[in-house]
Amino acid sequence: MFDLTGKCALVTGASGGLGSAIARALHGAGATVGLSGTRVEPLKALAEDLGERAHVLPCDLSDRAALEALPKQAIEAMGSLDILVNNAGITRDGLMMRMGDDQWDQVLEVNLGAAMRLSRGALRGMMKARWGRIVNISSIVGATGNPGQANYAAAKAGLVGFSKSLAAEVASRGITVNAVAPGFITTAMTDVLKDDQKTALLANVPAGRMGEPDEIAAAVLYLASPEAGYVTGATLHVNGGMAML
Amino acid sequence: MSDTADRVRKIVVEHLGVEEDKVTENASFIDDLGADSLDTVELVMAFEEEFGIEIPDDAAETIQTFGDAVKFISEAQ
């Protein structure tokens, strides 16, 4: 089950907690992985740790020229691009009334715009190969909203609509497009929460704990696998029951 | 047949997996050669790449047949 031998996967935000776990899971299933991110050192460390079949592909996703080039670089490095995981995300939290245009634009550009541009770049090869997997990392807040995160929630909800539309366009070519919506997961992004904030959040999580990056990675691995070929346009919520959608 | 027509035909044959002799002047990509809407987009992108030209969406819509494609590309080059 879930054998990705011979497949090549590009993971954005691979220097982060979720991204590195996703890259490890895909690599562990036999895939060649392209590790993209802005921080080169953690990417190199991860690549060294993974050993063979790992390539470092630094990219600043707010740089459109670099974004356009990334799928080509991935294909040059790995030979093909069969699986794209749009994981990279940034937050610029603040209450809506005080939110600056740049706070909005940056979050939409990196979290949503980059996913569109990378998908566009990856699709040509997938169409020709008649096989492809695009997995977009959304978020629970895209479905429920969250005060202070109007920009982030809008981008993450946008990824769901984007995934569904693209899924319908390319399903006939053996390409699936799905989203994974993590709840509260132990990463650098949630480390900034104070203990009382975490306690309050966990009160709403039936599982009674935060999720682990590996638990998101497993969902991505499933959606990237040949076995999930009939699953497309779906959002897989991995949130400990926090929102049962 | 011009060189352009040969190159266009090669792309059509490769992409749609049809016999070369089916790709005639008036052959419609969709009605005669079995293309769907996604195929026509892919064909247009393949033409753009092969000939180094840009085919705007409104022009792409007018390219219905093999002959249309050859004519448009010949004029655009």
Side-chain angles (χ1 to χ4, degrees):
Chain A
M1 291 272 272
F2 310 152
D3 182 4
L4 298 181
T5 304
K7 302 293 185 196
C8 299
L10 174 63
V11 181
T12 67
S15 51
L18 282 187
S20 59
I22 291 165
R24 278 181 195 283
L26 299 179
H27 186 268
T32 298
V33 291
L35 311 170
S36 191
T38 45
R39 290 173 293 142
V40 177
E41 286 313 314
L43 294 176
K44 278 188 184 162
L46 177 60
E48 267 176 39
D49 196 30
L50 293 175
E52 288 179 356
R53 295 183 282 109
H55 303 266
V56 174
L57 302 165
C59 183
D60 175 0
L61 297 188
S62 61
D63 176 346
R64 287 196 182 181
L67 254 186
E68 300 288 343
L70 182 57
K72 293 189 194 91
Q73 290 165 351
I75 291 165
E76 274 166 29
M78 301 191 290
S80 67
L81 177 48
D82 312 295
I83 300 164
L84 170 65
V85 183
N86 288 307
N87 163 72
I90 57 169
T91 53
R92 298 284 184 272
D93 296 353
L95 292 176
M96 223 334 271
M97 288 181 70
R98 300 278 298 162
M99 187 172 285
D101 281 348
D102 56 338
Q103 267 176 295
W104 175 266
D105 291 344
Q106 284 171 10
V107 168
L108 269 289
E109 180 75 16
V110 171
N111 295 14
L112 183 59
M116 184 283 282
R117 292 186 177 85
L118 290 179
S119 299
R120 188 172 59 192
L123 275 170
R124 289 292 290 279
M126 291 179 182
M127 298 270 276
K128 277 189 186 153
R130 293 292 189 268
W131 199 93
R133 297 284 184 267
I134 297 175
V135 183
N136 296 313
I137 306 303
S138 180
S139 166
I140 175 75
V141 306
T144 62
N146 196 26
Q149 291 198 307
N151 49 1
Y152 187 78
K156 292 299 188 180
L159 278 176
V160 172
F162 169 75
S163 301
K164 290 177 179 177
S165 304
L166 181 55
E169 289 184 15
V170 297
S172 66
R173 297 301 192 270
I175 303 168
T176 70
V177 188
N178 291 288
V180 171
F184 283 94
I185 311 297
T186 52
T187 65
M189 211 181 265
T190 52
D191 278 348
V192 298
L193 296 171
K194 296 178 192 76
D195 278 348
D196 57 332
Q197 286 176 309
K198 283 186 186 169
T199 308
L201 283 169
L202 284 177
N204 295 314
V205 181
R209 63 173 177 86
M210 294 181 77
E212 295 301 322
D214 287 349
E215 293 172 310
I216 302 304
V220 175
L221 171 59
Y222 166 63
L223 292 172
S225 73
E227 283 82 355
Y230 202 55
V231 180
T232 196
T235 302
L236 184 45
H237 289 273
V238 184
N239 60 30
M242 183 179 169
M244 301 188 189
L245 302 161
Chain B
M1 264 296 173
S2 67
D3 166 59
T4 299
D6 287 342
R7 285 158 72 191
V8 172
R9 179 177 290 107
K10 188 160 174 282
I11 290 171
V12 173
V13 166
E14 269 175 21
H15 188 84
L16 298 177
V18 290
E19 297 293 328
E20 208 173 306
D21 58 9
K22 291 269 195 296
V23 188
T24 56
E25 178 81 18
N26 293 321
S28 156
F29 293 122
I30 290 177
D31 296 333
D32 302 317
L33 302 175
D36 64 15
S37 62
L38 215 49
D39 286 318
T40 60
V41 173
E42 284 184 272
L43 281 174
V44 163
M45 290 171 78
F47 297 152
E48 288 178 328
E49 199 172 313
E50 171 75 17
F51 295 97
I53 56 171
E54 212 160 301
I55 307 177
D57 281 353
D58 54 348
E61 279 170 28
T62 67
I63 301 175
Q64 303 283 334
T65 66
F66 172 68
D68 293 340
V70 174
K71 184 162 175 286
F72 182 91
I73 293 163
S74 302
E75 285 167 6
Q77 274 178 299

